[in-house]
Amino acid sequence: MDALRKEEIYTIDDIYALPDGERAELIDGKIYYMAPPSRTHQRISGKIYQIIANYIDGKGGECEIYVAPFAVFLNKDDMNYIEPDISVICDLSKIDDKGCHGAPDWIIEIVSPGSKSMDYFTKLFKYRTAGVREYWIADPAKEMVITYRFEKETMEEYSFGEDVPVGIYEGFSIKVQ
C-alpha cells in the first residue's frame, strides 16, 4: 500500500519569491498561477473601473477602487493572497502600501478561459466566507454578469448591455458591454 502523498502548503512568502513577471494567487495555502489577461479582459476591466471611479469621485465618496495587480490579504494568515480584477474598499483602515488587509466591500472578477472554475467556485466560496459584501463575475464568453450580494443572500444574472444595479450603492447601476 502506498502512503498518501502530502500536498505542499504555500505561504505569502512563496508568492513574493516568484520570478519577476510571474503572477499567482494563494488560496488556503494552494498556489494558482495566472495567465496574462486578454485585450477584451483589460478593456472590460478598464471601463468598469472608470465608471465606478467616476461615480465615487462624483459623490465625494470615501471608498477607494483598485485594479489588479493589487494585493488583497483576505484572512489574518499567511496562506491567502489574491489579486481581484477590481476591488472597492470602503474601510480605509484596511489599506496600506502592501494592499488590503481583510475583505473588500465589492470585488469584480472578469472571467478568462483559464480562470472559470476559480471565479465561479473557489473564489465565490472564499469571498463569501471572508466577508466580501458584493461579488460580480463578468463573463465575456457568455456576455453575462452574475451578482452575489452576500448580506442579502441573493444571486442575479444580467446580460451585457443591461443595467446591473450595484448593491453597496443605492441608485447606481453599470452597463457592462
Side-chain angles (χ1 to χ4, degrees), residues 30-46:
K30 186 172 181 187
I31 287 185
Y32 298 89
Y33 292 93
M34 300 163 61
S38 69
R39 183 184 69 81
T40 299
H41 180 286
Q42 290 298 84
R43 186 174 44 77
I44 292 170
S45 179

Side-chain angles (χ1 to χ4, degrees), residues 69-131:
F70 176 73
V72 173
F73 307 93
L74 270 181
N75 302 77
K76 294 186 186 333
D77 63 28
D78 65 347
M79 293 175 21
N80 288 280
Y81 169 97
I82 55 163
E83 293 180 359
D85 291 318
I86 298 174
S87 302
V88 176
I89 301 130
C90 299
D91 178 354
L92 303 186
S93 71
K94 292 181 178 180
I95 304 172
D96 66 15
D97 280 346
K98 287 189 175 184
C100 177
H101 302 270
D105 292 85
W106 181 18
I107 289 178
I108 301 170
E109 295 283 9
I110 293 104
V111 176
S112 301
S115 74
K116 274 187 179 127
S117 69
M118 275 291 284
D119 294 337
Y120 279 103
F121 301 107
T122 308
K123 287 184 177 179
L124 171 64
F125 175 77
K126 196 68 192 169
Y127 293 160
R128 187 180 76 221
T129 58

Side-chain angles (χ1 to χ4, degrees), residues 15-82:
I15 293 291
Y16 287 141
L18 290 172
D20 280 350
E22 191 161 353
R23 289 179 52 216
E25 293 179 309
L26 182 69
I27 296 179
D28 296 330
K30 186 172 181 187
I31 287 185
Y32 298 89
Y33 292 93
M34 300 163 61
S38 69
R39 183 184 69 81
T40 299
H41 180 286
Q42 290 298 84
R43 186 174 44 77
I44 292 170
S45 179
K47 274 295 186 200
I48 292 172
Y49 172 88
Q50 181 181 25
I51 292 165
I52 297 168
N54 289 344
Y55 178 83
I56 292 170
D57 290 348
K59 295 285 185 186
E62 294 294 314
C63 303
E64 293 189 5
I65 181 171
Y66 296 92
V67 293
F70 176 73
V72 173
F73 307 93
L74 270 181
N75 302 77
K76 294 186 186 333
D77 63 28
D78 65 347
M79 293 175 21
N80 288 280
Y81 169 97
I82 55 163

